[in-house]
Amino acid sequence: MTPLELQMPADGRAPGLVRAELKRWLAARAWPDEDREDLEFAVSEAVSNAAEHAYRPDASAKEPEPVVGVVVMELIDPDGRRAKAIVDDVGVWRSAPPSQEFRGRGLRMIDTLMESCEVNQSSAGTRVTMISRPVETQPQHRHGSGSAEAGKPARSPKERLRWLEVVTDSGLAQLTVDELLDELLEKVRELMSVDTAAVLLLDPSQQFLVATVARGIEEEVHQGVRIPLGRGFAGRIAEERHWVAIDQADHNNVLNPILRDKGIVSLLGVPLVAAGTVLGVLHVGTLTRRRFTEQDAQLLQMVADRAALATQSRISQAERAAALVMQRNLLPAQLPDVPGIEFASRYVPGGDGEVGGDWYDVFTLPSGAVCLVVGDVAGHGLAAAQSMSQIRAVLRSHTLHTEDPGDVLTRLDEHVQHFLPNTMATVLCGMLTPSTNVLRMSSAGHPPPILAAPQGETTTLAIPADLPLGIRTKRPRHSTDVPLPPGSGLCLYSDGLVERRHVVIDDNIEKLRNSVTAHAPESVCVDVMRQLVGFATPKDDVAVLVVRRFATG
C-alpha cells in the first residue's frame, strides 16, 4: 500500500494540515472510526510537539526554516492491520520544567492510544515512531456497541476528535490573534459545557494581565480589566504557571468583581505558555457549582498550548510588520537638496527577520547648517524601533537649540536616561556648514567614519568615542572638527556593516576604508555594500550614509 508522506514548515498550521491528509488516507483504507480518531490524535500531537518545542541546539549555525516530516504506512499481520507513523523534526525537544506537570502529557496520551511509541533524539533532530493497535484485516460494517473491541476503554463517541479539531483546525490558520482566540473560546464553551470563557494577555510591562477576548463575559474586555501579575485568580495562574480550579468563587479567591457580579460560581484557568514564555491566561467559568477535574484541566491546557503557539506567532508577525513600517516611515523618504553637497544612503534589515533600531538622518537647520546622523539602538523588534523613533525625534528637536553636536548628544542622553531608562544607543552626529570646510562631529560610542580626500587618500577618522547613550556617567561629551574640503567624501555607517561573527571588527573597518572613495555617493554605496555585504544576508541591520562635497571650479 502507498504510504502517506508529508513535509511542511513546523508551525501552528502543521497539526491541522497533517490531520486532514491523514484522515483522507485512513478513510481510503476503511480504517474504523474510533481507531482512526486515535491515530489522527496521536500523529497530530507529535506534530504539535515538533512545532511547539523543537529547536536547534546550535543557534549560531546557518539553518533553514524548521520543518516536520510525517510518514504513515500500513502493516498487515496475521492478527490484523496496524499503522506505523513516523514524525521527524529538525530540533531537540526541550525538557519540561518540574513545576509544569502537564508539559509532556502529549507523549503520555500517545502512549495510551498507541500499541507502542518510541522517541529518539540525535544531533539531526527528534523522531517519534508509533504503531497503532491492530484492527480487522477485512473491514466489516459495524452494528451498535457490539462492534467495540473487547477490553477497549470506554469513552464518549467522537470526544477525542472533537477536542483535536478545536486545537488544530486548519481553518483557524489565517485568522488574526483576536479572531483566533474568539473562535477558540466559542468552541471551548460548547465542548466543556461552560458559560464563560476569556483570555487575558500580559501587557508590554509584563506586570498586568489585560482582558483581550471573552465570551459570555464580554464586560471584561469592554471595561479594560487589568489584573496584577500574582494577584487574584488569573494573576496566580500566570505567576505560578499552573492550572487553578475554584469550586466557589468569592472575595478571597477572585480579584475581578465582574466575575462575581456576573454570578460565576466555579472557575478553571490555565496558563498560555509558548517557548517557555508566559503570554497570558485562559479561563472558563460556570453559573452553577461544578467541580472541575484534572482531565478538564488537561484538555483546557491542550487548547491553551495551541492557542499560545499561534498567538505568539501572530504577535511576532504583527510586531515585525509594525517595526518595518515604522522604520521605513522614519528613514528620510528623500535626502535633502543642498547646494554643493550630494548624498546617498542604504538601509538593509537584518537576516533574522526582525527590524532593529538602526537609522540614518539628514536634515537642514534654519541657519543653513546640515545635520548628519547615523545611530543604532540596542535590540531588535518593535521595542527597538519605538525607542529609535523617540531618540530620532528628540535629537532633531535639540538641534534647534544648539548646533554643537556634543551638546546635542548630552541633552539627548539626559532624555534617554530619564524617559528610556533601559535603552542603550550609539550615535554619530555631525554638523556641516556649507560655507565652511569644517564638519563638527561627536560620537556616542559609534564606529568611526571614513573620510576620502580628493587626492585619493582614505582615512579612518579618529573621532573620540564617548560612552553610548543610556550609560550614566559624569564625563563630558566632545565635539571634534574634521576638515571636509570640496571634492572630499565621507561615509557614516552602523555597526551591522562591519560586525561579523569570527571576524575582527578592525579588519572589516579597514576593508571598508579601502572601499570608500571620493567618487559619486551612489557609486560609493554600491561598492561598499558589494564589498562588505556581498551575497550574504547580514545578521544585523545595516545603515550607510555617504556625503560628498562638490569640487569647486
Side-chain angles (χ1 to χ4, degrees):
M1 300 295 288
T2 303
L4 174 65
E5 297 181 351
L6 303 170
Q7 182 171 299
M8 62 194 65
D11 57 27
R13 295 172 294 179
L17 297 174
V18 169
R19 182 170 58 83
E21 291 298 323
L22 180 57
K23 184 175 184 177
R24 284 191 286 269
W25 189 84
L26 292 172
R29 285 152 182 78
W31 213 262
D33 287 345
E34 288 188 354
D35 299 280
R36 173 176 56 79
E37 294 167 15
D38 288 348
L39 186 59
E40 288 176 15
F41 186 97
V43 173
S44 180
E45 186 64 25
V47 172
S48 296
N49 277 331
E52 182 175 0
H53 301 298
Y55 74 109
R56 282 188 179 275
D58 182 11
S60 65
K62 186 177 181 180
E63 57 200 45
E65 286 296 317
V67 297
V68 58
V70 178
V71 177
V72 184
M73 62 193 75
E74 191 174 34
L75 307 176
I76 300 179
D77 297 317
D79 58 342
R81 296 181 296 161
R82 290 176 174 83
K84 180 179 181 180
I86 300 172
V87 178
D88 287 311
D89 66 61
V90 296
V92 178
W93 288 3
R94 297 179 175 91
S95 299
S99 62
Q100 299 181 31
E101 66 179 77
F102 289 138
R103 297 298 180 208
R105 65 190 173 282
L107 289 177
R108 296 200 296 270
M109 291 181 179
I110 294 173
D111 275 331
T112 300
L113 298 172
M114 297 290 98
E115 187 174 71
S116 66
C117 174
E118 182 178 337
V119 178
N120 294 304
Q121 295 182 349
S122 69
S123 59
T126 303
R127 166 171 288 189
V128 179
T129 303
M130 61 197 87
I131 298 179
S132 71
R133 292 189 173 88
V135 301
E136 64 268 27
T137 302
Q138 296 298 325
Q140 300 173 1
H141 181 69
R142 300 187 176 207
H143 300 280
S145 60
S147 62
E149 294 180 27
K152 201 167 192 176
R155 62 179 181 270
S156 60
K158 308 293 183 182
E159 180 75 16
R160 191 173 286 106
L161 186 58
R162 291 172 67 203
W163 272 99
L164 186 62
E165 288 172 345
V166 168
V167 297
T168 61
D169 186 353
S170 60
L172 304 178
Q174 305 303 320
L175 300 180
T176 66
V177 172
D178 287 355
E179 291 171 342
L180 169 73
L181 296 177
D182 196 52
E183 286 291 326
L184 285 177
L185 292 189
E186 186 57 36
K187 292 186 177 185
V188 166
R189 285 180 70 193
E190 175 187 350
L191 295 173
M192 292 196 72
S193 299
V194 294
D195 301 298
T196 66
V199 168
L200 296 88
L201 297 179
L202 278 172
D203 71 351
S205 73
Q206 303 292 299
Q207 297 299 313
F208 291 90
L209 290 162
V210 179
T212 304
V213 180
R215 284 297 184 99
I217 189 170
E218 287 79 359
E219 298 94 321
E220 275 203 346
V221 178
H222 298 160
Q223 297 179 27
V225 167
R226 292 164 59 88
I227 304 296
L229 187 67
R231 295 189 58 194
F233 170 63
R236 175 185 164 195
I237 295 168
E239 185 175 62
E240 297 179 1
R241 298 186 175 210
H242 193 281
W243 68 276
V244 172
I246 295 177
D247 295 340
Q248 180 65 56
D250 56 37
H251 291 273
N252 295 321
N253 50 33
V254 173
L255 184 64
N256 182 7
I258 295 178
L259 299 180
R260 300 191 300 270
D261 296 343
K262 191 75 174 181
I264 296 174
V265 178
S266 300
L267 289 161
L268 171 65
V270 296
L272 290 165
V273 181
T277 300
V278 175
L279 303 182
V281 169
L282 166 62
H283 69 68
V284 296
T286 59
L287 300 178
T288 57
R289 190 178 181 89
R290 173 172 170 180
R291 181 177 293 276
F292 286 104
T293 66
E294 185 171 323
Q295 183 183 27
D296 293 328
Q298 287 180 332
L299 293 174
L300 189 60
Q301 186 69 66
M302 187 189 305
V303 177
D305 286 348
R306 303 303 177 260
L309 182 65
T311 298
Q312 184 186 56
S313 174
R314 286 159 172 78
I315 289 176
S316 297
Q317 291 171 6
E319 287 187 348
R320 282 196 295 269
L324 185 58
V325 169
M326 180 181 294
Q327 183 78 273
R328 287 175 174 170
N329 288 336
L330 291 175
L331 294 175
Q334 183 177 354
L335 297 176
D337 185 9
V338 179
I341 305 175
E342 57 181 334
F343 308 95
S345 61
R346 293 290 188 275
Y347 173 77
V348 179
D352 59 3
E354 281 195 297
V355 173
D358 294 30
W359 89 97
Y360 65 87
D361 202 3
V362 184
F363 54 93
T364 58
L365 296 170
S367 66
V370 179
C371 186
L372 313 173
V373 182
V374 173
D376 180 8
V377 175
H380 291 86
L382 186 58
Q386 289 172 328
S387 295
M388 178 273 287
S389 169
Q390 188 173 151
I391 290 174
R392 172 185 176 273
V394 172
L395 185 150
R396 280 190 162 211
S397 175
H398 287 319
T399 60
L400 295 175
H401 303 284
T402 176
E403 293 185 4
D404 183 277
D407 289 344
V408 170
L409 294 186
T410 297
R411 299 183 185 197
L412 181 60
D413 194 17
E414 292 174 353
H415 175 95
V416 170
Q417 292 188 33
H418 184 76
F419 292 104
L420 301 169
N422 297 317
T423 298
M424 186 179 75
T426 66
V427 181
L428 184 62
C429 179
M431 291 288 183
L432 174 64
T433 302
S435 61
T436 70
N437 294 334
V438 176
L439 172 68
R440 174 159 282 201
M441 306 194 77
S442 183
S443 172
H446 204 78
I450 308 294
L451 176 65
Q455 300 79 14
E457 181 183 359
T458 306
T459 307
T460 301
L461 294 178
I463 304 295
D466 299 321
L467 289 174
L469 305 181
I471 297 178
R472 294 192 177 276
T473 178
K474 295 183 179 180
R475 298 177 184 176
R477 295 192 176 274
H478 304 83
S479 293
T480 303
D481 290 341
V482 176
L484 194 67
S488 60
L490 186 72
C491 178
L492 295 77
Y493 55 94
S494 65
D495 60 9
L497 181 67
V498 292
E499 283 190 347
R500 297 290 184 275
R501 189 181 296 274
H502 308 308
V503 178
V504 177
I505 189 171
D506 288 346
D507 292 344
N508 267 350
I509 292 177
E510 177 64 15
K511 186 176 181 181
L512 173 62
R513 186 186 69 81
N514 292 328
S515 303
V516 176
T517 65
H519 296 157
E522 184 61 33
S523 67
V524 174
C525 279
V526 171
D527 291 340
V528 164
M529 296 301 287
R530 182 171 64 241
Q531 294 297 324
L532 274 296
V533 177
F535 296 102
T537 301
K539 283 289 185 182
D540 198 4
D541 293 5
V542 173
V544 177
L545 176 63
V546 178
V547 186
R548 184 178 73 158
R549 294 199 65 190
F550 288 123
T552 58

